[in-house]
Amino acid sequence: MTELPEHHKVSHVPATRLNAAFAQKAEDLLPTLHNWNVSPIGTVTFEPDESEYFKRRKRPQFTTAELQDKAWGKGQEFILDFGDHHVGYLKFRLTAQGPNVDAPARLRLTMGETPPDVTEELHPCKSWISTSWIPDEVVNIDYMPKDFALHRRHAFRYVRVQVLDTSAKYQVKFSVIHIEAVSAVTAEQVLALPPFPFNDDTLCRIDAVSMTTLRNCMQTVFEDGPRRDRRLWSGDLRLQALTNYCTFRNNDLVKRCLYLFAALVREDDSTPACLFEKPVLTPASDYIVDYDILFGSTAHDYAVQTGDLETAEELWETVLGSTKGALAHVEDGVFRGEATQAWKFLDWAENLEKDAGMHGAVIVGLKAVDSLAKLLKKPPPYEDVVAEMISKAERAFYDAEQGVFVSGKARQVSWASQAWLALAGVMDAGRLKSALVTTMHDPNALKPLTPYLYHHFAEALCNVGGEEECLQLIRTYWGGMISAGADTFWECFDADDYTSSPYGDHHNHSFCHAWSCTPSYLLRVKLRDWLADRKGL
Amino acid sequence: MTELPEHHKVSHVPATRLNAAFAQKAEDLLPTLHNWNVSPIGTVTFEPDESEYFKRRKRPQFTTAELQDKAWGKGQEFILDFGDHHVGYLKFRLTAQGPNVDAPARLRLTMGETPPDVTEELHPCKSWISTSWIPDEVVNIDYMPKDFALHRRHAFRYVRVQVLDTSAKYQVKFSVIHIEAVSAVTAEQVLALPPFPFNDDTLCRIDAVSMTTLRNCMQTVFEDGPRRDRRLWSGDLRLQALTNYCTFRNNDLVKRCLYLFAALVREDDSTPACLFEKPVLTPASDYIVDYDILFGSTAHDYAVQTGDLETAEELWETVLGSTKGALAHVEDGVFRGEATQAWKFLDWAENLEKDAGMHGAVIVGLKAVDSLAKLLKKPPPYEDVVAEMISKAERAFYDAEQGVFVSGKARQVSWASQAWLALAGVMDAGRLKSALVTTMHDPNALKPLTPYLYHHFAEALCNVGGEEECLQLIRTYWGGMISAGADTFWECFDADDYTSSPYGDHHNHSFCHAWSCTPSYLLRVKLRDWLADRKGL
């Protein structure tokens, strides 16, 4: 997820009922972040190459050892390559070569996740979201030698180092360059990582990149993007937690995040779409109906994965409250978005008709609440509602002639509608699979814009016997990012044009983004048995 | 003084013989800097006004109280006015107004000594000296409210605050804005300041601005300019020390600086022209013949003012050595610059013929060494040399017909030649005064470019009965800076064009500069009795 555009802002934000006890439980679970140092593999140059996704090809330039001996003066620059994506603090020793350090050194440091970040001019940025996220810092260093550290955390693989000026009397040299990388994931959790059991290089790489993406988003909360936004969104948390259970198993971080949301329930019992941890715990004013209704699903997953029913019991009232916002849209067993102005997300695709998809998402959420109730030996509260919504789904949204779900007056066919109604299990698996596959092959169907919806579509395929198609989608979509050069999975991906942007400027994109980390979950959990039957392909 | 242009660089720099004992004595005298807080008087705007020196007139905008209530978003800016020039650290509290702080705030802060600093674009800077001195900082603040502090020291009266971006969700507000001002001058030293005894508003203002200039240059050493260079130059130290003795009397700081130079004597016994204190004590590679020969004068002044003969005794060998560089240019009692390539300064005026002036400067230096010898009960070593140089001066440099000193083959008439030969006392006072006054009124005479030479000319006038002319020069030159709006005296001053620059760009000038601080010394010491006779004018 990312910050919301202007048109999704609402004038009235319900007041928050701060639950101080829950906030304290979250605080007690604040992780100790783990640090490790990463050295650059050297410097690189880029030359134009139309065959590459980013239209440039990387060439090695100097090794780190060679770089140590180079002196740089006014107007000179180089690009560091750390070999992989990391989140942390850039550090180096700056020394001077020349008779006197008679003036400060002024540097511009640009921390890049992709080649365009460090080869294109990032200013002025045309993005309508805050350009304060552009990852460059202008620093002035008065005295040398200096062990310099950037005190702001950045997310990057590359660093463009521009020497804006030194003086006629000296040039600067860089040594002991490293990232002090940080994550809530411990070395022990990495060592205890369940091995990826399939002998297919592409899938291994997809799995590894998924985990790097997740690790780099796991800080004191599950962040949506360590480069941009850096906040905890409930819908993204759900996917990160699922991927965490089959990889790092840092389950206390999930528990902490659940309590953070439960601490910030609003006076109408809804949960905020996201929250800010620093400088003090604060709910965002944003609200998303589908994120709210899926809070129970996240709580249920946690209870199942950890057996921690005590926490689930404590969260129960919050889970019950989180269904109200969605249920206010259900009339006669059918979801009707027009009931309120509240934002229904599903995906960033423009002009998406959302009633069908939201109908499915609400069923998914309510089913999870019922399952959680059973775990807690409570009567499941929504069995009747779920049954009615499932029974109404076909009439409300299914086009029998086309064999797909449709939404809105124009009977729009979209990936979103198929995905969520399949996840909801509103029909037999055969017809659901057919709807998914038909839509995949329909060039007129509205495709997803975000990995968030691609994930739900892929998961839906697995649920209805579409494992083959799911695997193909993973290879095409997330594998496409890897072919394009991804070290971590991106916030959004247009396979045809790296400059296309939902934010008005690709320089403000996040290239390590929470909701893109799920292939490990899909491969290790949803496709595990199917892949095993095929002996790892 | 300021850093040297390319053509004054020499390829061979004699090695330094570090005197660790002297370095330790200097270290032991490291002052505790004194801090005090200064609040802005409000914000200001500037509008075009051709009648003003800087071509703009200041208007009050918001009071500090009003400013606290203003919120600022992307692209907005304001200018703080602190009412006077200070050296220190800018601090403020940044708070957010809006539903969420969902992105960092990016600010550009430009610390200005003059109106052009905060109203003109400083980048790109065309100066050939390091543009890293341009006093702006781009800062990114992740969380608000934030008590923000610039950790780099700046010298300024104004701050241009540009809000480069916040986000669509919030604007920023500024409160508790202040400078944590610093100086080696203590509150007690300010309270014990000898009153300025003359009831003339202009002279009072000139005296006050001189002292602010000196105070703001007095840090852990006597800096040449707290905005730019920030180093200790021996020639500038001499003038700062003289002004200090009649004002703040922080004599330990003079002692510290004398030991710093004595710690860094070079293998040819010369003293470096300047030195760097941080990060470790280092001599500059620069050498200036006249600065070297005047080191003894600074030591002598210190001994006379403090009575601290123990220190003078310790410095004696350094003082003796510091004469060698100059004496190597004296042949048959006459200074000949061509004897070495070493740099003779006197002033920045282009095409200045320096032999006459240097002849005078060497006599001034040697006389001081002889006086110091007498204080220390030693035989004065240079009485014969001084006598010979005085006796040769008239024949070598005096043009009896014009009644002025000349220098070089083209028999150049300059303020520099008159000033230093008058200070050397090479003739009777009447003829010296006549040479000075004649030159002042000669439009073809080469005028000074720097306050350093204006000072020596003014002091020379006092020495030969030209008090009236000296006072007039003070009123015109330093008073001219005040009329132009100076809060501290400047590195250089072209009364006709604020954009004229010896460095290629006026944005890289220093407007609080050591060698400009001497009017307090001239008024309080050199002109004291004369002014008193006139009952303070």
Side-chain angles (χ1 to χ4, degrees), chain A residues 92 94 103-105 107 139-144 146 148, chain B residues 152:
Chain A
F92 53 80
L94 193 70
L107 312 176
V139 300
N140 299 299
I141 299 173
D142 287 309
Y143 306 112
M144 282 145 268
K146 167 80 175 176
F148 178 81
Chain B
R152 296 181 75 224

Side-chain angles (χ1 to χ4, degrees), chain B residues 116-405:
Chain B
D117 286 334
V118 289
T119 51
E120 299 177 357
E121 293 308 315
L122 307 190
H123 297 284
C125 178
K126 302 184 299 291
S127 176
W128 55 261
I129 54 180
S130 175
T131 60
S132 298
W133 290 116
I134 294 296
D136 71 313
E137 308 268 357
V138 176
V139 300
N140 299 300
I141 299 173
D142 287 309
Y143 306 111
M144 281 145 266
K146 168 79 175 177
D147 285 320
F148 178 82
L150 269 186
H151 295 295
R152 296 181 75 224
R153 208 196 65 188
H154 286 276
F156 57 109
R157 170 178 175 157
Y158 303 106
V159 180
R160 179 182 184 187
V161 178
Q162 294 171 277
V163 179
L164 301 183
D165 208 346
T166 57
S167 88
K169 283 249 176 130
Y170 77 95
Q171 294 188 308
V172 285
K173 296 170 82 169
F174 297 80
S175 59
V176 206
I177 305 167
H178 61 286
I179 304 171
E180 184 186 308
V182 289
S183 169
V185 175
T186 67
E188 292 70 28
Q189 286 165 346
V190 171
L191 286 171
L193 207 54
F196 184 68
F198 310 110
N199 57 357
D200 176 293
D201 287 348
T202 304
L203 298 187
C204 281
R205 176 76 183 140
I206 290 173
D207 179 61
V209 170
S210 293
M211 288 192 294
T212 304
T213 305
L214 179 61
R215 180 198 69 189
N216 290 354
C217 290
M218 287 172 72
Q219 303 292 334
T220 51
V221 295
F222 284 91
E223 297 186 6
D224 65 332
R227 167 170 171 166
R228 210 207 60 240
D229 278 21
R230 306 186 185 179
R231 71 184 93 165
L232 173 62
W233 289 88
S234 68
D236 305 52
L237 168 63
R238 179 169 156 268
L239 301 191
Q240 290 170 299
L242 284 171
T243 309
N244 169 68
Y245 299 133
C246 63
T247 55
F248 305 118
R249 297 195 63 77
N250 188 336
N251 298 343
D252 274 354
L253 191 64
V254 182
K255 183 175 176 182
R256 167 174 160 78
C257 292
L258 287 166
Y259 274 116
L260 286 174
F261 280 107
L264 298 177
V265 167
R266 296 142 34 122
E267 61 186 359
D268 62 359
D269 296 336
S270 64
T271 56
C274 59
L275 57 84
F276 303 93
E277 220 194 335
K278 297 170 190 168
V280 293
L281 181 62
T282 310
S285 54
D286 308 312
Y287 174 72
I288 301 175
V289 177
D290 35 335
Y291 275 28
D292 196 18
I293 185 68
L294 291 168
F295 180 78
S297 173
T298 311
H300 173 247
D301 293 335
Y302 172 79
V304 169
Q305 289 289 333
T306 64
D308 175 9
L309 298 186
E310 194 181 327
T311 295
E313 184 68 49
E314 284 208 317
L315 296 172
W316 178 248
E317 285 301 317
T318 305
V319 167
L320 274 185
S322 74
T323 65
K324 289 189 184 176
L327 288 172
H329 296 78
V330 179
E331 294 171 31
D332 295 328
V334 176
F335 188 93
R336 299 195 195 283
E338 65 196 18
T340 77
Q341 293 297 308
W343 189 32
K344 298 91 194 176
F345 171 62
L346 299 185
D347 188 45
W348 281 121
E350 274 185 54
N351 302 318
L352 175 62
E353 288 287 348
K354 296 181 179 173
D355 279 1
M358 285 299 300
H359 190 90
V362 173
I363 294 171
V364 169
L366 294 176
K367 278 183 167 180
V369 177
D370 280 343
S371 298
L372 182 60
K374 289 174 195 162
L375 270 181
L376 297 174
K377 318 278 188 221
K378 296 177 190 293
Y382 300 118
E383 286 191 337
D384 292 347
V385 182
V386 167
E388 187 187 10
M389 288 184 76
I390 288 178
S391 74
K392 294 283 178 70
E394 180 166 344
R395 175 155 176 197
F397 302 112
Y398 192 65
D399 183 322
E401 197 174 321
Q402 298 186 74
V404 296
F405 295 104

Side-chain angles (χ1 to χ4, degrees), chain A residues 3 6 9 74 99-106 123 125 127 129-138 140-145 152 164-169 229-231 276 278-279 282-286, chain B residues 3 6 9 74 99-106 123 125 127 129-138 140-145 152 164-169 229-231 276 278-279 282-286:
Chain A
E3 61 180 281
E6 201 68 28
K9 283 182 194 158
K74 181 174 183 170
N100 285 127
V101 179
D102 58 346
R106 181 177 284 225
H123 296 286
C125 177
S127 177
I129 55 180
S130 174
T131 60
S132 297
W133 290 116
I134 294 294
D136 70 313
E137 308 267 358
V138 176
N140 299 299
I141 299 173
D142 287 309
Y143 306 112
M144 282 145 268
R152 294 182 76 224
L164 301 183
D165 209 345
T166 57
S167 88
K169 283 249 176 131
D229 279 22
R230 305 185 185 180
R231 70 183 94 164
F276 302 94
K278 297 170 191 167
T282 309
S285 54
D286 307 312
Chain B
E3 61 181 281
E6 202 67 28
K9 284 182 194 159
K74 180 172 183 171
N100 285 127
V101 179
D102 58 345
R106 181 177 283 227
H123 297 284
C125 178
S127 176
I129 54 180
S130 175
T131 60
S132 298
W133 290 116
I134 294 296
D136 71 313
E137 308 268 357
V138 176
N140 299 300
I141 299 173
D142 287 309
Y143 306 111
M144 281 145 266
R152 296 181 75 224
L164 301 183
D165 208 346
T166 57
S167 88
K169 283 249 176 130
D229 278 21
R230 306 186 185 179
R231 71 184 93 165
F276 303 93
K278 297 170 190 168
T282 310
S285 54
D286 308 312

Side-chain angles (χ1 to χ4, degrees), chain A residues 254-271:
Chain A
V254 182
K255 184 176 175 182
R256 168 174 159 78
C257 293
L258 286 167
Y259 274 116
L260 287 173
F261 280 108
L264 297 176
V265 168
R266 296 142 32 123
E267 58 186 0
D268 62 359
D269 296 336
S270 65
T271 55

